[in-house]
Amino acid sequence: MTTNVSKPSSATIRYSIRRIDLLRLQLYGYSRNRVVVGFLLLAGVVAACLVVREPYIVHRPLAFKIPFVVLFDALLLGFVFAFQVVLSGLMILQGKHRGLLGEHVLEVRDDGLLERTDFNESLHRWAGFDKVRSTRSSLYIYVTDALVHVVPLRCFASPADAEAFRNRVQEKIDAA
């Protein structure tokens, strides 16, 4: 005998956002921003062109110039990245971020994604959602390009539970 069991109409998760989660979100956003990535690549090319014109480099063989430029650009990008991490970290540490840090409850419902904190309660309709992305540490649910729900994967009992939740949200977005 077969029984037709349907999925419940809602799924709820409870999690806590910490400052490190905000830093991860910031860095993830920088890495996905085409303008920032393009600017860094352009800055690397310009810096490389300026460096290879220096008198102590001009007369060197090409076998020296290519690794030198690659190393120079890697160090430049590493410095910019480190500076950005420190700057973002300081901004996150000094801010209060009320309503963002602390306990969150997300409920996947038929009419939208309901978020509850100690400071607000909001329902985002599925038709307005943009995308869902996963990293090793977090699930990012984009309501818009600027409004993102960060769900740390540590709040799930297992990777399978995290994947099931992500798929559930994606199904709702696709159906809208």
Side-chain angles (χ1 to χ4, degrees):
M1 172 173 210
T2 5
T3 56
N4 189 4
V5 179
S6 64
K7 292 182 185 177
S9 63
S10 71
T12 303
I13 59 167
R14 180 179 303 275
Y15 61 95
S16 183
I17 295 289
R18 303 180 306 204
R19 291 184 192 276
I20 190 70
D21 299 318
L22 295 182
L23 182 61
R24 284 186 183 127
L25 172 64
Q26 196 80 16
L27 296 178
Y28 179 74
Y30 290 140
S31 71
R32 306 285 296 176
N33 187 322
R34 291 181 185 141
V35 173
V36 170
V37 171
F39 175 76
L40 288 176
L41 291 174
L42 180 64
V45 168
V46 169
C49 290
L50 293 174
V51 166
V52 296
R53 295 176 65 206
E54 290 295 318
Y56 62 91
I57 300 289
V58 169
H59 301 294
R60 301 275 186 150
L62 193 59
F64 174 82
K65 289 179 187 176
I66 292 174
F68 180 81
V69 165
V70 169
L71 181 62
F72 179 82
D73 280 352
L75 289 173
L76 176 68
L77 293 176
F79 174 76
V80 169
F81 177 76
F83 179 76
Q84 193 60 50
V85 168
V86 169
L87 187 64
S88 295
L90 290 174
M91 288 176 20
I92 289 169
L93 282 175
Q94 67 90 25
K96 291 184 182 179
H97 305 289
R98 291 172 39 145
L100 189 55
L101 294 175
E103 285 291 315
H104 291 252
V105 175
L106 277 184
E107 183 180 349
V108 177
R109 301 179 355 173
D110 289 336
D111 57 343
L113 185 69
L114 179 68
E115 178 196 26
R116 284 191 292 273
T117 69
D118 290 341
F119 295 94
N120 70 9
E121 182 173 311
S122 56
L123 177 68
H124 301 283
R125 308 271 180 214
W126 294 119
F129 278 78
D130 190 31
K131 58 192 166 199
V132 180
R133 297 286 185 257
S134 297
T135 64
R136 291 179 313 167
S137 62
S138 300
L139 177 66
Y140 299 104
I141 305 170
Y142 285 81
V143 179
T144 67
D145 281 338
L147 179 59
V148 181
H149 291 288
V150 181
V151 182
L153 295 181
R154 66 178 178 271
C155 77
F156 295 100
S158 70
D161 288 347
E163 187 64 23
F165 184 81
R166 181 190 191 287
N167 291 340
R168 180 85 185 245
V169 170
Q170 190 65 57
E171 286 171 8
K172 294 289 187 181
I173 292 171
D174 292 343

